[in-house]
């Protein structure tokens, strides 16, 4: 299954993800972390990479497409990360606002020890010649496929669409 992440030039050259470990400690999400482990977070859709979180200068970044093996997806599951709706509207069609005036985006959190950078299959500059956010056609998320993944049981702890939507709207 494909997942996406914003990468810096250094991360591409070094073939290593550089997490800002302190950035995520106060974030609201549904991941089930084990204390002492560091995690790599990737989005279910490439459009979500344009959320403003730890890397703000898109001119120095790339969007990378990772093909995560099914056994890894099944082992760690897809969780929901909470994001601030004020940053941008690039991925507005994937947002569902929750009661805290933030919104959820599906993502996977894989322990660094279980992550393999060789899963990176393709990457592209995050902006075009005009300086606008850019995704190649092969990175654009098909909305029906996206909803099928989200609603058909990959998310951690949800047995049906009603449970998922209840969590989306009430956390």
């Amino acid at each position: 299954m494909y997942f996406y992440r914003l990468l810096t030039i250094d991360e591409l050259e070094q073939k290593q993800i550089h997490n800002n470990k302190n950035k995520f400690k106060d974030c609201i999400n549904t991941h089930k972390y084990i204390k002492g482990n560091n995690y790599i977070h990737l989005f279910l859709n490439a459009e979500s990479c344009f959320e403003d979180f730890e890397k703000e200068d898109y001119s120095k970044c790339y969007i990378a497409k990772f093909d995560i093996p099914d056994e890894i997806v099944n082992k760690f599951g897809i969780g929901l990360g909470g994001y601030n709706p004020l940053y941008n509207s690039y991925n507005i069609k994937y947002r569902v606002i929750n009661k805290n005036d933030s919104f959820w985006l599906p993502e996977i959190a894989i322990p660094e020890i279980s992550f393999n950078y060789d899963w990176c299959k393709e990457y592209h500059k995050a902006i075009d010649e005009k300086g606008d956010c850019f995704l190649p056609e092969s990175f654009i998320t098909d909305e029906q496929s996206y909803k099928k993944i989200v609603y058909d049981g990959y998310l951690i702890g949800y047995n049906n669409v009603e449970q998922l939507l209840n969590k989306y709207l009430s956390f």
Side-chain angles (χ1 to χ4, degrees):
M1 184 178 298
Y2 290 116
F3 288 85
Y4 303 86
R5 183 175 170 97
L6 192 65
L7 299 177
T8 64
I9 294 168
D10 287 344
E11 289 173 313
L12 282 173
E13 290 173 352
Q14 297 171 14
K15 294 189 176 200
Q16 184 177 9
I17 305 295
H18 299 220
N19 273 332
N20 181 348
K21 293 166 184 62
N22 294 327
K23 185 77 172 181
F24 301 106
K25 67 181 180 185
D26 294 324
C27 293
I28 296 172
N29 65 52
T30 63
H31 299 298
K32 304 209 184 309
Y33 297 115
I34 297 172
K35 190 175 181 170
N37 286 349
N38 294 318
Y39 291 83
I40 307 292
H41 294 79
L42 300 101
F43 289 110
L44 181 59
N45 63 317
E47 292 86 345
S48 294
C49 292
F50 291 112
E51 290 307 323
D52 184 13
F53 52 110
E54 66 179 284
K55 299 179 184 92
E56 298 175 7
D57 188 353
Y58 295 124
S59 67
K60 298 178 182 175
C61 293
Y62 291 79
I63 304 291
K65 183 178 192 176
F66 290 84
D67 189 5
I68 309 297
D70 287 345
E71 60 269 13
I72 297 295
V73 175
N74 291 330
K75 181 175 182 179
F76 299 110
I78 299 172
L80 301 171
Y83 292 85
N84 182 338
L86 301 176
Y87 289 132
N88 74 65
S89 60
Y90 195 84
N91 68 348
I92 196 76
K93 69 182 177 181
Y94 301 102
R95 295 178 173 185
V96 177
I97 303 295
N98 64 32
K99 288 182 181 175
N100 295 328
D101 291 328
S102 61
F103 63 93
W104 296 116
L105 289 174
E107 58 187 14
I108 192 167
I110 301 172
E112 280 182 328
I113 197 161
S114 299
F115 189 81
N116 184 342
Y117 193 92
D118 291 336
W119 294 333
C120 183
K121 300 301 179 194
E122 188 177 350
Y123 57 89
H124 293 277
K125 283 194 158 270
I127 61 169
D128 62 17
E129 300 80 34
K130 296 182 225 170
D132 295 328
C133 294
F134 171 77
L135 288 174
E137 189 65 33
S138 63
F139 281 42
I140 302 293
T141 305
D142 172 69
E143 200 168 350
Q144 286 184 327
S145 298
Y146 174 82
K147 286 181 178 179
K148 183 170 176 42
I149 291 169
V150 171
Y151 293 159
D152 283 355
Y154 278 97
L155 291 174
I156 299 170
Y158 305 102
N159 297 320
N160 56 47
V161 175
E162 290 77 26
Q163 284 184 358
L164 168 64
L165 291 176
N166 187 42
K167 187 66 169 187
Y168 256 116
L169 299 172
S170 65
F171 197 83

